[in-house]
Amino acid sequence: MQVKAPRGTYDLLPGQIERWQWLIAQAREVFTQYGYGEIITPIFEHAELIERGVGETTDIVSKQMYTFSDKSGRRLTLRPEWTAPVVRAYLEHNLHARPQPVKLYYIGPSFRYERPQAGRYRQFHQLGAEAIGSADPALDAEMIAMPIELYRRLGLSRFVILLNSIGCPVCRPAYRQALRAALAPHLEELCPVCRTRYDLNPLRILDCKSEKCHELSAGVPASREFLCRECADHFAQVQAILEAFGLEYRLDDRLVRGLDYYTKTVFEVTSPDLGSQSSLLGGGRYDGLVEECGGPPTPGVGFAAGMERAMSVMEEQGLNPPVKGGPDVFVVTAGGSRAGEYGVRLRGLALLNELRRAGLTAETDYMNRSLKAQLKAAGRLSSRFALIIGSEEMAKNTVQIKDMQQGTQEELPLDSDLIGWIQQRIGGSKQ
RNA sequence: GUGGGCGUAGCUCAGUUGGUUAGAGCGCCAGGUUGUGGCCCUGGAGGUCGUGGGUUCAAAUCCCAUCGCUCACCCCA
């Protein structure tokens, strides 16, 4: 048997998961403040939804999907991203009947079959948001400002906002033609992939990393020069709002994004503290997607942020959640759970149970350790108090309570208000 | 799918031109106190040297293959 997590997946254990939970907690708080409600969709969807939603010619659909048939022969796909599933849910549950726009956020795993590397996994986690039903440029800006605010609260700094507009079905054909015209003389010099892109999706030639293609496409016109009146107007407003928010961004002619559904605004936030996969989040507007999925013409905009990427920067910069202390009390039973002292153990366990029911964080030993070793364990857990009970205490109906920080110890009657005594000393925050 | 780097204890790593029972630090467990943690001292457990084959009197060490990890390309979160 293979005792190893599958390639491109990993386990999160206590010690690292606190940071993960912190990220999620902060995200929930920020998204809620911005008026987004959480949505959870299935981890798998009908393959067709993803294929049509994301686009047949994209890398995701053409080579990165986990697609399988279930026992009834349905073709299903582990979701490679959340936008298409969220749009599906929007249509399925008639969310267009609710006040528009519908603002949703999500947190959870996505799957893409790729060779793993720094910041890239086969099961990775995204947190993101979608605002469906409005074409307001304020939402485009919100999709950038909101995650940036999340990063700010987590303590991340040093990111670069890349922005572009790739037009709409009205103006893009003209741009495509211009692009083809500019590249036509060099068609033979393009890489094989780009030669097929030339016909299918010439915009993608712009973000080809091959040196030759990069050179050849250097002088071509930018999509922004071909925007129709509406798109140009929209983009100007997005920029104005970002500026009003005090967010600095960089216009990037080559930012076209690899998913077919984008229209108008596209953006990416990158971090210099990441490896080669430097993108913290990406997103854009998708005014044609709802219709493509069988709904009425409905605008939408969203972003998806990589949780592993954020975690990586947080780790890099030593950004940790506020430290939580150890247990309030560690119950030490002298003589351990040895048969002869079982009465002691039983009394100790009853006390432990009582402490926990009172809302205190309480621990004990489960390894039949010596008194000394139990105290050591209590110290290792940074327990605030050690409550010690042995045969002497049993006889006197008392317990020893030791302050592990001060090193002081006193004896209290068993029928005194032990819990009150402890609560008073750990501060009133616990009930 | 392609290329580079790396696989020795739970973790981080030593291991000479091939040479005897493969080591250290940390961690873990126990003892140094008949019932008291942290520091210190002592001891202990723990390793198919990734796996398979080859060369050799002898392989952790050299060769081949294979698997895994990792970084990069493509692309993206």
Side-chain angles (χ1 to χ4, degrees), chain A residues 356-401:
Chain A
R356 286 171 170 169
R357 289 183 59 186
L360 294 167
T361 311
E363 251 294 22
T364 193
D365 173 61
Y366 303 96
M367 297 302 288
N368 195 22
R369 288 186 169 88
S370 67
L371 175 69
K372 178 185 174 136
Q374 289 183 57
L375 278 163
K376 191 174 173 180
R380 186 167 36 206
L381 290 173
S382 329
S383 187
R384 178 66 210 285
F385 292 102
L387 196 157
I388 306 166
I389 181 163
S391 43
E392 285 174 31
E393 288 76 17
M394 284 287 278
K396 289 191 285 180
N397 253 306
T398 60
V399 295
Q400 302 287 339
I401 184 136

Side-chain angles (χ1 to χ4, degrees), chain A residues 104-421:
Chain A
L104 301 166
Y105 79 85
Y106 57 82
I107 299 171
S110 299
F111 306 83
R112 291 181 202 170
Y113 186 87
E114 296 180 85
R115 286 283 287 263
Q117 69 185 73
R120 173 192 288 163
Y121 301 86
R122 288 181 173 178
Q123 174 176 339
F124 61 106
H125 299 76
Q126 293 179 306
L127 44 87
E130 313 288 349
I132 306 174
S134 166
D136 193 330
L139 286 170
D140 302 48
E142 194 162 289
M143 288 302 169
I144 297 170
M146 181 166 70
I148 294 277
E149 171 61 13
L150 168 62
Y151 293 150
R152 193 189 65 75
R153 291 190 193 185
L154 292 167
L156 303 217
S157 49
R158 289 159 49 85
F159 25 65
V160 180
I161 301 171
L162 301 174
L163 190 67
N164 196 18
S165 176
I166 55 172
C168 67
V170 173
C171 49
R172 204 177 305 158
Y175 178 55
R176 259 198 203 114
Q177 279 320 310
L179 210 48
R180 288 205 184 97
L183 289 167
H186 310 287
L187 185 52
E188 295 307 311
E189 301 166 63
L190 292 171
C191 74
V193 183
C194 283
R195 256 172 276 168
T196 61
R197 283 173 175 159
Y198 182 86
D199 293 314
L200 294 173
N201 193 351
L203 296 219
R204 294 286 304 287
I205 296 174
L206 293 177
D207 72 346
C208 183
K209 302 298 188 296
S210 125
E211 249 180 71
K212 189 69 184 170
C213 296
H214 206 82
E215 258 173 55
L216 291 172
S217 61
V220 305
S223 60
R224 274 175 282 117
E225 298 165 26
F226 287 79
L227 296 181
C228 60
R229 182 62 184 268
E230 188 197 317
C231 286
D233 209 53
H234 183 91
F235 195 54
Q237 291 185 62
V238 171
Q239 294 179 74
I241 298 165
L242 286 175
E243 280 156 32
F245 287 175
L247 290 174
E248 280 177 40
Y249 57 86
R250 186 184 301 166
L251 292 177
D252 184 349
D253 297 347
R254 290 183 180 275
L255 182 64
V256 299
R257 314 272 309 150
L259 286 72
D260 284 356
Y261 51 62
Y262 287 120
T263 56
K264 294 196 170 87
T265 318
V266 291
F267 55 84
E268 214 167 296
V269 174
T270 64
S271 166
D273 300 310
L274 289 170
S276 177
Q277 310 305 316
S278 61
S279 174
L280 274 169
L281 69 88
R285 181 160 278 287
Y286 45 86
D287 290 345
L289 181 58
V290 175
E291 199 172 358
E292 173 67 30
C293 291
T298 309
V301 62
F303 80 91
M307 291 177 66
E308 286 80 4
R309 304 260 168 102
M311 288 282 287
S312 166
V313 177
M314 287 160 77
E315 193 174 352
E316 176 89 12
Q317 301 187 349
L319 302 171
N320 295 308
V323 284
K324 65 161 203 246
D328 301 316
V329 190
F330 190 105
V331 174
V332 173
T333 48
S337 52
R338 280 163 219 141
E341 301 282 2
Y342 204 72
V344 170
R345 176 64 171 169
L346 204 52
R347 176 71 63 82
L349 289 174
L351 272 169
L352 176 70
N353 195 44
E354 233 179 282
L355 293 166
R356 286 171 170 169
R357 289 183 59 186
L360 294 167
T361 311
E363 251 294 22
T364 193
D365 173 61
Y366 303 96
M367 297 302 288
N368 195 22
R369 288 186 169 88
S370 67
L371 175 69
K372 178 185 174 136
Q374 289 183 57
L375 278 163
K376 191 174 173 180
R380 186 167 36 206
L381 290 173
S382 329
S383 187
R384 178 66 210 285
F385 292 102
L387 196 157
I388 306 166
I389 181 163
S391 43
E392 285 174 31
E393 288 76 17
M394 284 287 278
K396 289 191 285 180
N397 253 306
T398 60
V399 295
Q400 302 287 339
I401 184 136
K402 176 166 187 170
D403 186 320
M404 297 295 282
Q405 288 163 14
Q406 312 296 323
T408 55
Q409 179 171 323
E410 54 187 289
E411 185 166 18
L412 296 176
L414 199 51
D415 58 9
S416 64
D417 181 15
L418 267 178
I419 288 160
W421 189 96

